[in-house]
Amino acid sequence: AARARAAVDHVATDGGTPTLERVRFLTSLTARLRHCLSRGGEWELRLHVRQSATEQPARLEVTLRPVGDREPGAQDETPLLTCSLPHQPARKSRRAATSLPQALLAADENTAAVLSLLDEQEDLVRLHREELHHTNQGVLALHADLEAGARAQRELLEAERTARAATERARRLLTFLGDASAAITSSLSHTAILRRLSDMLVPEYAERLDVWLFDEEEYEDHDDERAQRVREHSAAAVAAARTGRPQHAAAHPGALPGVDDLPPSALSPERPLLAIPLVAQRLLGVLTLTAPGPRFDEDTSVMLVELARRVGVALDHAHRYQQSRNTAEALQRAQLTDLPTPPGLLLAARYLPATWGMNIGGDWYDAFLQPDGSLLAVIGDVTGHGLHAAVVMGQLRTALRAYAVENATPGEILTRLHRMLGHLQPDLYATALIARFRPGEPEVVWASAGHPPAVVRGADGTVRVLEAKPGVMLGIPLPYVYKDHRADLPPGSSLVLYTDGLVERRGQGIDPGIGRLARALEALNTPELEQDLDAAADALLKPLLYDSERDDDVCLLLCHTVTPTAPERSLKADRFPSGSEPPGGPPARGSVKDTRREGGCRESL
């Protein structure tokens, strides 16, 4: 076995097999030979040099098999071990016997070569280890730098996130302040302002809020629903009312800008309170807020203080508006007329003030008897609104009655009013329509000064509009003489006089409203008109006013002609002189009914 190994070594060496491959090859061969020796018997070792045209270099193939096992065949022999032969070994070297000492020395040479390779590899490994160590040190230093950079980046990102959150919070607070200011300043009702304030602040900015208004009794007189009031005022609210400065009451100091700190309130020992004065030109009250959490935020408190200031201004404006509105409405209603009850004529009137805005004052109606027994029905509208318009309206009403004493016609009365208004109020104009009814005459004489046309319902139910060209508005700076017009009005007919607030809507003009009024009048029948003229007047108003708020006054004067009975005529002639009325006011069928609509309520006066 040893000699066989030496022979194979000689052939591999002569063929130029690399040392490391040769050592591995011989080591594997030695292991196979030992295996054969352990099994015993005779074994045959065969060497075969295989040279292929496509494979370079040649290969040495070694097979081991027991002797006498079977006849070898080149095609079915499987090599046990192989190694490369860079060049063909000499044939004599294949058969040359190698002594064991030479093989042993050659083995030592192979071992020395392997050891030399190992030394080289160890040197390379040492160099690689040193490079790896330096690389590791560099990587560690790089990791430290990266960690420091990542830490700095995280700090910058956190600072940026904090700044963005603060900016977003400030933007949100400013947006809320702007929206809340617009919401509370758009209303002139104390109740609406306080309700909107509660809806906006609770529960995000306050768990609850209480409003202490010093003039609450006055506010309750003008609002349908009373705002929530503080039954027991906290010490913070009292301090805010006394000092005029915001007060913070909590177990811990709030350190809020511009706010004084107080001990916790007995009314809210667990949650902080923030009491803010409501100030305009004077101290109106105190707004007390209960914190939604454990404390009030500084930025939020600044926003709440500013919002309270704007709420105070809005409440003051609402108070002044309500005072002016009430004064104008009181003056307007004081000048409305109780309707007479002439024979052959039923009268019903309605006055409805505007539901919002200062558009009160200026619309009026009137009906009175003349010395000759005829009746004048008047409807008018002064441009402008408020106290001034109500005062001018009273002047026109008084002057009209004075001019009518001389039995002047409607056109003559309007002509005189035109001159008077242009002289007394050159910057104010008015519209008016006067209709004169004479007992027993089946017609009406009328004249118009720029007023919306009257609507007539005939006894047969047909409806027409008196579309004769009206004169100019009263007070226009040019001379003008108004003409009288006549319209048939037999018994059973109705004449409707009204102001533009009844038929005019923004964006629609006045013609569609007149058409709706004509259809509503056409829907009535003569028995309804003669049995209950008040109900008929309400039926006319309902389809024209149910779908919109009124931004202007509304006046309606409904005149219905009937055939008076002889006993009624004689009784009136005997008991009441011409132009007078029965004691205790007019009968019910010639009544006047004013309605006020406020906050969904309807009050009859």
Side-chain angles (χ1 to χ4, degrees):
R3 284 195 300 271
R5 179 188 182 283
V8 174
D9 184 14
H10 183 72
V11 173
T13 301
D14 189 46
T17 302
T19 303
L20 187 58
E21 183 181 358
R22 189 172 69 250
V23 171
R24 290 175 177 170
F25 172 71
L26 293 175
T27 301
S28 298
L29 178 61
T30 301
R32 300 297 190 276
L33 293 174
R34 285 175 181 162
H35 178 68
C36 293
L37 291 175
S38 66
R39 291 180 61 182
E42 293 183 359
W43 293 81
E44 180 182 51
L45 185 145
R46 297 177 62 86
L47 303 177
H48 179 71
V49 177
R50 186 178 299 277
Q51 180 69 43
S52 173
T54 59
E55 294 182 3
Q56 293 292 338
R59 302 193 64 80
L60 174 62
E61 299 178 354
V62 177
T63 58
L64 276 170
R65 56 190 298 273
V67 177
D69 187 8
R70 66 187 181 96
E71 288 297 328
Q75 68 277 8
D76 56 2
E77 288 184 358
T78 301
L80 180 62
L81 297 171
T82 62
C83 69
S84 63
L85 293 176
H87 52 81
Q88 288 287 342
R91 289 190 174 274
K92 61 179 182 178
S93 64
R94 302 180 189 179
R95 296 181 176 86
T98 303
S99 62
L100 291 179
Q102 291 177 342
L104 181 60
L105 292 175
D108 290 339
E109 291 176 0
N110 292 337
T111 302
V114 172
L115 292 176
S116 176
L117 291 174
L118 289 176
D119 291 340
E120 293 177 0
Q121 294 298 323
E122 287 180 355
D123 292 339
L124 291 175
V125 169
R126 183 176 65 256
L127 292 175
H128 290 321
R129 284 179 178 174
E130 292 178 356
E131 291 179 358
L132 181 60
H133 176 70
H134 293 307
T135 302
N136 288 339
Q137 293 297 323
V139 170
L140 291 177
L142 179 60
H143 284 177
D145 293 341
L146 292 176
E147 181 65 23
R151 190 183 311 109
Q153 185 70 17
R154 285 195 297 271
E155 292 175 356
L156 291 175
L157 289 176
E158 185 64 26
E160 181 183 3
R161 188 179 298 110
T162 303
R164 285 186 177 182
T167 302
E168 177 61 24
R169 179 174 178 79
R171 185 197 64 79
R172 187 168 61 87
L173 290 176
L174 288 175
T175 301
F176 173 79
L177 180 61
D179 295 342
S181 301
I184 62 177
T185 56
S186 64
S187 175
L188 290 173
S189 168
H190 292 86
T191 303
I193 291 173
L194 298 180
R195 183 186 300 114
R196 293 177 185 179
L197 182 65
S198 177
D199 294 341
M200 290 183 295
L201 293 182
V202 179
E204 183 175 1
Y205 296 99
E207 182 183 27
R208 65 178 179 271
L209 64 83
D210 297 313
V211 180
W212 174 18
L213 296 177
F214 301 152
D215 298 332
E216 285 177 319
E217 295 297 331
E218 179 181 357
Y219 297 148
E220 290 173 14
D221 291 340
H222 302 298
D223 288 331
D224 295 327
E225 297 181 7
R226 183 180 56 180
Q228 182 180 1
R229 296 190 299 162
V230 181
R231 298 303 180 184
E232 293 181 316
H233 306 305
S234 64
V238 174
R242 185 179 65 253
T243 63
R245 286 179 53 83
Q247 304 292 323
H248 176 261
H252 50 79
L256 303 177
V259 180
D260 299 335
D261 285 316
L262 295 176
S265 172
L267 298 179
S268 179
E270 303 297 332
R271 294 289 181 90
L273 292 182
L274 183 61
I276 310 173
L278 300 174
V279 182
Q281 297 180 359
R282 59 188 178 91
L283 186 61
L284 302 177
V286 177
L287 170 65
T288 304
L289 304 171
T290 304
R295 61 189 310 117
F296 281 101
D297 178 73
E298 292 185 5
D299 295 337
T300 302
S301 68
V302 173
M303 182 274 295
L304 292 175
V305 171
E306 176 61 22
L307 179 60
R309 185 187 68 80
R310 301 185 184 188
V311 171
V313 174
L315 290 174
D316 186 62
H317 288 171
H319 176 68
R320 294 174 181 273
Y321 157 79
Q322 194 64 45
Q323 284 185 326
S324 300
R325 178 186 173 93
N326 292 341
T327 304
E329 185 176 349
L331 180 60
Q332 177 84 0
R333 289 184 178 278
Q335 300 184 81
L336 296 180
T337 305
D338 290 337
L339 299 179
T341 56
L345 188 63
L346 302 178
L347 298 175
R350 294 292 183 272
Y351 169 70
L352 287 83
T355 55
W356 62 278
M358 272 301 296
N359 298 341
I360 293 180
D363 290 22
W364 93 95
Y365 67 84
D366 199 359
F368 56 91
L369 294 172
Q370 290 186 280
D372 64 351
S374 63
L375 180 135
L376 287 185
V378 183
I379 197 81
D381 185 3
V382 177
T383 59
H385 302 283
L387 288 175
H388 185 51
V391 170
V392 173
M393 179 270 290
Q395 295 174 348
L396 285 178
R397 175 179 176 274
T398 303
L400 189 149
R401 285 204 170 205
Y403 295 147
V405 171
E406 301 177 3
N407 289 327
T409 66
E412 294 171 344
I413 296 174
L414 289 178
T415 302
R416 296 177 183 180
L417 283 177
H418 176 60
R419 290 197 298 265
M420 183 211 71
L421 186 61
H423 176 69
L424 295 180
Q425 300 288 342
D427 297 329
L428 201 64
Y429 312 116
T431 66
L433 191 151
I434 303 176
R436 185 183 65 189
F437 300 87
R438 289 189 181 275
E441 292 186 2
E443 66 177 7
V444 61
V445 179
W446 61 276
S448 175
H451 199 78
V455 180
V456 175
R457 180 187 183 277
D460 57 354
T462 59
V463 176
R464 69 184 188 276
V465 179
L466 301 183
E467 295 181 343
K469 184 178 180 180
V472 300
M473 295 178 65
L474 299 175
I476 296 294
L478 56 89
Y480 191 84
V481 176
Y482 295 88
K483 297 180 179 180
D484 291 320
H485 304 275
R486 295 179 180 272
D488 293 335
L489 204 69
S493 303
S494 301
L495 177 69
V496 180
L497 308 180
Y498 55 92
T499 57
D500 57 356
L502 179 65
V503 294
E504 189 173 17
R505 296 293 177 270
R506 291 185 179 180
Q508 296 183 4
I510 196 172
D511 292 338
I514 296 176
R516 289 194 299 269
L517 175 61
R519 289 190 294 272
L521 183 60
E522 188 177 12
L524 300 176
N525 54 57
T526 302
E528 290 177 343
L529 292 167
E530 295 182 353
Q531 292 175 5
D532 192 347
L533 197 63
D534 283 334
D538 291 335
L540 287 179
L541 293 177
K542 184 176 180 180
L544 278 81
L545 301 179
Y546 78 96
D547 59 344
S548 64
E549 291 187 337
R550 298 186 302 278
D551 57 357
D552 197 1
D553 289 358
V554 172
C555 275
L556 173 72
L557 183 58
L558 177 59
C559 311
H560 182 75
T561 59
V562 295
T563 302
T565 60
E568 181 181 10
R569 290 195 297 269
S570 61
L571 178 63
K572 290 183 179 290
D574 294 339
R575 294 183 56 188
F576 308 115
S578 176
S580 65
E581 294 181 357
R589 70 172 185 173
S591 64
V592 55
K593 183 177 181 182
D594 294 342
T595 58
R596 176 188 298 177
R597 299 175 184 266
E598 295 274 351
C601 298
R602 175 169 175 171
E603 179 182 0
S604 299
L605 302 180

